Amino acid sequence: MAPQNSAVRPEADLDLADQLGHELVRFMRLITKAKSQVAKHGPDGIERAAYAILFCLVHEGPQRTSKLAESLHSEISTISRQSSSLVQHGLVERQADPEDGRACLLAPTAEGLRVFDENRKHRARWLAEVLGDWSQEERETLNELLARLNTGIEKNNPSLSDTAGTAQAKGASNA
């Protein structure tokens, strides 16, 4: 089925999308609350936010600070401060960039990989508890649909110009 222009979507589609939006906002609030109930700093003294850097490095490989800032939608100064903490704690190391010897790449160390794996296992245990009364089929379906939703969001990243165009189209159709 070919994607439709958002200005001509049936009202039922928009109602379902609005319900999904509500549940996603609720989900984000609950995740934020759960994260805030965990100490701001981990047991090793590292800011919890710095683990996002480690996550990117483990999953996407060594990167420059600027690419990490772009990936994490953060300021380079914030990424620099957090990555310095990760380096001081031995979780990340600086390596020469093979494409430009003047620049450096950040990469996880063996200890960084161990700490990442420990955090991943902790998250998996928590999620298994949350989904403990779901059937295997429901959990598999959730994973499939969430992956599909994430892919759709990645492919259809909204921009201000898209929003303005949609609003203009709606205004024209209501006139």
Side-chain angles (χ1 to χ4, degrees), residues 80 83-84 87 92-96 104-107:
S80 292
S83 61
S84 290
V87 168
V92 168
E93 64 184 358
R94 290 185 175 90
Q95 302 174 341
C104 74
L105 299 176
L106 296 169

PDB file of all heavy atoms in Angstrom, residues 80 83-84 87 92-96 104-107:
ATOM      1  N   SER A  80      32.051  16.173  25.029  1.00  0.00           N
ATOM      2  CA  SER A  80      33.466  16.222  25.428  1.00  0.00           C
ATOM      3  C   SER A  80      33.625  16.004  26.920  1.00  0.00           C
ATOM      4  O   SER A  80      34.487  15.229  27.365  1.00  0.00           O
ATOM      5  CB  SER A  80      34.084  17.567  25.037  1.00  0.00           C
ATOM      6  OG  SER A  80      34.161  17.682  23.654  1.00  0.00           O
ATOM      7  N   SER A  83      32.591  12.334  27.740  1.00  0.00           N
ATOM      8  CA  SER A  83      33.563  11.359  27.237  1.00  0.00           C
ATOM      9  C   SER A  83      34.873  11.447  28.017  1.00  0.00           C
ATOM     10  O   SER A  83      35.529  10.420  28.246  1.00  0.00           O
ATOM     11  CB  SER A  83      33.799  11.526  25.735  1.00  0.00           C
ATOM     12  OG  SER A  83      34.320  12.789  25.432  1.00  0.00           O
ATOM     13  N   SER A  84      35.249  12.646  28.475  1.00  0.00           N
ATOM     14  CA  SER A  84      36.446  12.777  29.312  1.00  0.00           C
ATOM     15  C   SER A  84      36.286  11.979  30.597  1.00  0.00           C
ATOM     16  O   SER A  84      37.231  11.325  31.057  1.00  0.00           O
ATOM     17  CB  SER A  84      36.725  14.244  29.633  1.00  0.00           C
ATOM     18  OG  SER A  84      37.144  14.924  28.484  1.00  0.00           O
ATOM     19  N   VAL A  87      36.762   8.393  29.758  1.00  0.00           N
ATOM     20  CA  VAL A  87      38.194   8.116  29.561  1.00  0.00           C
ATOM     21  C   VAL A  87      38.881   8.003  30.918  1.00  0.00           C
ATOM     22  O   VAL A  87      39.653   7.064  31.166  1.00  0.00           O
ATOM     23  CB  VAL A  87      38.850   9.211  28.682  1.00  0.00           C
ATOM     24  CG1 VAL A  87      40.368   9.111  28.711  1.00  0.00           C
ATOM     25  CG2 VAL A  87      38.337   9.130  27.244  1.00  0.00           C
ATOM     26  N   VAL A  92      36.474   4.289  28.087  1.00  0.00           N
ATOM     27  CA  VAL A  92      36.642   4.740  26.709  1.00  0.00           C
ATOM     28  C   VAL A  92      38.088   5.177  26.545  1.00  0.00           C
ATOM     29  O   VAL A  92      38.701   5.667  27.495  1.00  0.00           O
ATOM     30  CB  VAL A  92      35.663   5.911  26.397  1.00  0.00           C
ATOM     31  CG1 VAL A  92      35.987   6.596  25.096  1.00  0.00           C
ATOM     32  CG2 VAL A  92      34.216   5.404  26.384  1.00  0.00           C
ATOM     33  N   GLU A  93      38.610   4.991  25.343  1.00  0.00           N
ATOM     34  CA  GLU A  93      39.966   5.462  25.059  1.00  0.00           C
ATOM     35  C   GLU A  93      39.955   6.307  23.793  1.00  0.00           C
ATOM     36  O   GLU A  93      39.064   6.172  22.953  1.00  0.00           O
ATOM     37  CB  GLU A  93      40.932   4.287  24.906  1.00  0.00           C
ATOM     38  CG  GLU A  93      40.625   3.383  23.723  1.00  0.00           C
ATOM     39  CD  GLU A  93      41.531   2.173  23.654  1.00  0.00           C
ATOM     40  OE1 GLU A  93      42.436   2.034  24.512  1.00  0.00           O
ATOM     41  OE2 GLU A  93      41.333   1.353  22.739  1.00  0.00           O
ATOM     42  N   ARG A  94      40.955   7.172  23.704  1.00  0.00           N
ATOM     43  CA  ARG A  94      41.127   7.985  22.503  1.00  0.00           C
ATOM     44  C   ARG A  94      42.116   7.267  21.589  1.00  0.00           C
ATOM     45  O   ARG A  94      43.152   6.793  22.039  1.00  0.00           O
ATOM     46  CB  ARG A  94      41.638   9.369  22.873  1.00  0.00           C
ATOM     47  CG  ARG A  94      40.601  10.204  23.590  1.00  0.00           C
ATOM     48  CD  ARG A  94      41.111  11.630  23.845  1.00  0.00           C
ATOM     49  NE  ARG A  94      40.070  12.466  24.424  1.00  0.00           N
ATOM     50  CZ  ARG A  94      39.841  12.605  25.721  1.00  0.00           C
ATOM     51  NH1 ARG A  94      40.614  11.975  26.592  1.00  0.00           N
ATOM     52  NH2 ARG A  94      38.871  13.376  26.164  1.00  0.00           N
ATOM     53  N   GLN A  95      41.760   7.209  20.313  1.00  0.00           N
ATOM     54  CA  GLN A  95      42.618   6.577  19.312  1.00  0.00           C
ATOM     55  C   GLN A  95      42.840   7.567  18.177  1.00  0.00           C
ATOM     56  O   GLN A  95      41.971   8.395  17.895  1.00  0.00           O
ATOM     57  CB  GLN A  95      41.953   5.322  18.730  1.00  0.00           C
ATOM     58  CG  GLN A  95      41.584   4.270  19.728  1.00  0.00           C
ATOM     59  CD  GLN A  95      40.794   3.129  19.093  1.00  0.00           C
ATOM     60  OE1 GLN A  95      40.232   3.250  18.017  1.00  0.00           O
ATOM     61  NE2 GLN A  95      40.751   2.008  19.803  1.00  0.00           N
ATOM     62  N   ALA A  96      43.962   7.455  17.504  1.00  0.00           N
ATOM     63  CA  ALA A  96      44.211   8.301  16.332  1.00  0.00           C
ATOM     64  C   ALA A  96      43.208   7.938  15.244  1.00  0.00           C
ATOM     65  O   ALA A  96      42.908   6.767  15.020  1.00  0.00           O
ATOM     66  CB  ALA A  96      45.633   8.098  15.832  1.00  0.00           C
ATOM     67  N   CYS A 104      41.013  12.596  16.747  1.00  0.00           N
ATOM     68  CA  CYS A 104      40.976  11.331  17.477  1.00  0.00           C
ATOM     69  C   CYS A 104      39.566  10.759  17.462  1.00  0.00           C
ATOM     70  O   CYS A 104      38.578  11.468  17.297  1.00  0.00           O
ATOM     71  CB  CYS A 104      41.488  11.492  18.903  1.00  0.00           C
ATOM     72  SG  CYS A 104      40.377  12.318  20.026  1.00  0.00           S
ATOM     73  N   LEU A 105      39.540   9.460  17.609  1.00  0.00           N
ATOM     74  CA  LEU A 105      38.283   8.726  17.722  1.00  0.00           C
ATOM     75  C   LEU A 105      38.154   8.238  19.149  1.00  0.00           C
ATOM     76  O   LEU A 105      39.145   7.952  19.805  1.00  0.00           O
ATOM     77  CB  LEU A 105      38.281   7.515  16.784  1.00  0.00           C
ATOM     78  CG  LEU A 105      38.416   7.766  15.293  1.00  0.00           C
ATOM     79  CD1 LEU A 105      38.504   6.442  14.536  1.00  0.00           C
ATOM     80  CD2 LEU A 105      37.253   8.592  14.782  1.00  0.00           C
ATOM     81  N   LEU A 106      36.939   8.141  19.609  1.00  0.00           N
ATOM     82  CA  LEU A 106      36.650   7.551  20.913  1.00  0.00           C
ATOM     83  C   LEU A 106      36.216   6.112  20.675  1.00  0.00           C
ATOM     84  O   LEU A 106      35.447   5.837  19.751  1.00  0.00           O
ATOM     85  CB  LEU A 106      35.552   8.335  21.628  1.00  0.00           C
ATOM     86  CG  LEU A 106      35.900   9.775  21.971  1.00  0.00           C
ATOM     87  CD1 LEU A 106      34.660  10.530  22.432  1.00  0.00           C
ATOM     88  CD2 LEU A 106      36.966   9.819  23.051  1.00  0.00           C
ATOM     89  N   ALA A 107      36.709   5.201  21.499  1.00  0.00           N
ATOM     90  CA  ALA A 107      36.385   3.782  21.352  1.00  0.00           C
ATOM     91  C   ALA A 107      36.246   3.162  22.744  1.00  0.00           C
ATOM     92  O   ALA A 107      36.944   3.564  23.676  1.00  0.00           O
ATOM     93  CB  ALA A 107      37.483   3.070  20.566  1.00  0.00           C
TER      94      ALA A 107
END
